[in-house]
Structures are given as C-alpha cells and as structure tokens.
Amino acid sequence: MSLRRDFPGEKKSLAGMADDVQELIQRFTPFLTYLTELQAGWPVLEMEKLVGEAGGPEQVACITVDMVRGFCSEGPLASPRIQGIVPAVARILARAHDLGVRDFLFPQDSHPPDSPEFAAFPPHCLEGSSQAQTVPELSSLPFAQHFKHFPKRSLSSHHGTGLHEHLTSRHRTRMVAMGDCSDLCLYQLALELRLWANVKHLPWEVVVPASAVQTYDLPVEVARGLGAMPHDGELLHLVFLYHLQLNGVRVVADLV
Ligand SMILES: [Zn+2]
C-alpha cells in the first residue's frame, strides 16, 4: 500500500501561495479539521488496564519531563499552560503508585551558565537554581522517595543523561511519557523511546496522555514586540501529538 499523497501539479507550492493567506487557510482547513476530530477521538485509558496489558506494575515506567519551576512558575520560560497540567501529572503518578508502579523517572533541565542552548532560548533552569527544581506539587507527593532524576542539558532526555541506560537495564513493556513541552522535550522523549524500541525490537508501548502534556503560547503580536519567534501553543500541541501518533505512539486523552 502506498501512503504517498503528494500529487505533483495538483497543488501550488507553498512558496507560490505565501502572499495569499486566504488561499492558504482554505488549503489547510481539511487537515486542521481532521486534527480536531483526531483529538476528540482520543480515548480515556484506565491505568489498571495499562498495568494489566504491561504484564504487571514492575513493567511500567512513568517518565515525566521538565515539570520544574522554570517552566511552570519562575523565569522567562514559565507558562501558565504548563502549570495547568501539574494536577493531571500528580494524579496519574499517584494512580500508578497505587497500582504498584515504582519506576518514576524525571529527566529535567539543569543547564551550566554557558549552555549552548541559550543561543536559542533565554537562560533558564541553571543547575542548582530554584528554576531547576521539580514543582512542589510533585516533589511533595508522599511517594516522592521513588523519584529518580536525570539532569539534562538539551531538549533530549536521552543524550548524556543515563535515562537510556536505566530503561534498558531490565525488561519493561510500557512507557508513560508526560510533561512539557508537547513540541519540544516531551516530543523528543516520546519519539526517541519509540525509535529506540523500533531499532532494538523492544516490546515497549509508549503512552502519552494528552491531559498531562502541554506547551507554551506566544502570540505573534506579543512575539514581534519581544523580538522573539511566535509559538501557537494550541496548534503546535495538536500537531506534535498527531505526529507522535503517526509514528506509533499511543496518544490517549487521559489516564485514570
Ligand atoms: Zn533547556
């Protein structure tokens, strides 16, 4: 079966349409409509079912990326949209713990002062700073002694963090990926898990509950005033979760 859908000659290239925004909007409307329908169709998954399918709680890892103060409440990259998923993340972690899961992994930004990433993003989450700390709503959970932290210096939770080695150190079948941002570190985390499982024939199913994932929003007019690049949080959240699903990640509306 061919999945090729680009029929040369039927559509003008984007370059030729750049000065006709209405035509662009018209062209994108069916796909954007599809994305909203996709989102509306994501099922709610019961954690008990997930643990059962996994073969037991010891086969489940809950990986929560960048739920730190620097993306929720403090500093230049803090976003109320990301702060807004804290209760869902806490609830899902607690449900997993209730069912016997103990593998709680936290890859989190922890940058040196001269981090090369600061060429693209303003300085944030310096190692040892309060911005680099797990949000208090999670670090105060009664089972937080099981949390294992993996400091990271880039969007990748895998490069140079030890997460990869931890995950492959014993048999696991389910990876629940949560946190932020939908299009940045969470996307890199979930896709890399899927790619590594594909390369190594690992029996991993990567599960992303949309309720516990989010990204920041920077409207065009605000971004222009700041001299920054705009970022439509709603659109990019949806497009990147679509893209994870396209690549075999199991996206669900919520885990309960
Ligand atoms: Zn960073």
Side-chain angles (χ1 to χ4, degrees):
M1 182 180 70
S2 170
L3 290 176
R4 189 175 169 83
R5 290 290 183 274
D6 50 333
F7 300 104
E10 286 193 5
K11 288 178 178 173
K12 283 191 278 184
S13 77
L14 280 181
M17 299 171 72
D19 52 0
D20 189 345
V21 175
Q22 288 310 317
E23 198 174 341
L24 272 181
I25 292 168
Q26 200 176 9
R27 173 167 160 184
F28 292 146
T29 296
F31 186 70
L32 291 175
T33 304
Y34 166 79
L35 289 183
T36 60
E37 290 167 356
L38 181 75
Q39 183 178 40
W42 285 331
V44 172
L45 178 61
E46 291 186 2
M47 183 69 83
E48 199 166 4
K49 184 162 186 276
L50 181 144
V51 170
E53 289 174 357
E58 66 288 345
Q59 313 256 31
V60 178
C62 286
I63 312 172
T64 306
V65 60
D66 277 344
M67 289 307 292
V68 293
R69 293 173 188 262
F71 294 118
C72 290
S73 56
E74 285 179 33
L77 299 185
S79 162
R81 293 169 58 90
I82 295 169
Q83 177 70 34
I85 62 168
V86 171
V89 174
R91 171 176 53 77
I92 290 169
L93 292 174
R95 183 71 183 129
H97 181 263
D98 284 348
L99 291 168
V101 175
R102 295 294 181 266
D103 213 10
F104 297 107
L105 314 174
F106 287 74
Q108 293 181 164
D109 257 12
S110 181
H111 287 289
D114 61 346
S115 183
E117 191 184 284
F118 296 162
F121 297 96
H124 58 277
C125 300
L126 291 168
E127 52 195 356
S129 71
S130 62
Q131 282 187 35
Q133 291 174 359
T134 309
V135 293
E137 295 91 334
L138 300 185
S139 61
S140 65
L141 286 169
F143 52 94
Q145 76 273 17
H146 296 297
F147 293 3
K148 189 169 172 51
H149 293 95
F150 296 85
K152 66 185 183 63
R153 294 183 167 189
S154 77
L155 297 188
S156 172
S157 295
H158 300 271
H159 296 312
T161 64
L163 177 66
H164 215 84
E165 292 76 4
H166 176 85
L167 289 173
T168 51
S169 64
R170 66 173 169 80
H171 186 73
R172 291 175 178 81
T173 62
R174 293 295 182 280
M175 309 282 161
V176 177
M178 298 180 282
D180 61 287
C181 290
S182 318
D183 53 323
L184 299 165
C185 294
L186 182 279
Y187 176 78
Q188 298 285 340
L189 167 67
L191 188 62
E192 184 64 25
L193 290 170
R194 185 65 264 147
L195 298 181
W196 189 245
N198 291 352
V199 170
K200 295 293 183 183
H201 291 249
L202 297 170
W204 293 356
E205 182 177 68
V206 184
V207 179
V208 170
S211 59
V213 171
Q214 201 40 272
T215 192
Y216 70 98
D217 187 68
L218 187 57
V220 173
E221 61 273 24
V222 178
R224 282 196 171 126
L226 294 170
M229 294 179 81
H231 190 270
D232 191 302
E234 211 56 43
L235 177 64
L236 291 166
H237 173 74
L238 192 48
V239 167
F240 276 76
L241 289 188
Y242 149 82
H243 205 260
L244 287 175
Q245 186 169 340
L246 181 75
N247 281 283
V249 170
R250 186 177 185 182
V251 180
V252 297
D254 199 5
L255 264 174
V256 296

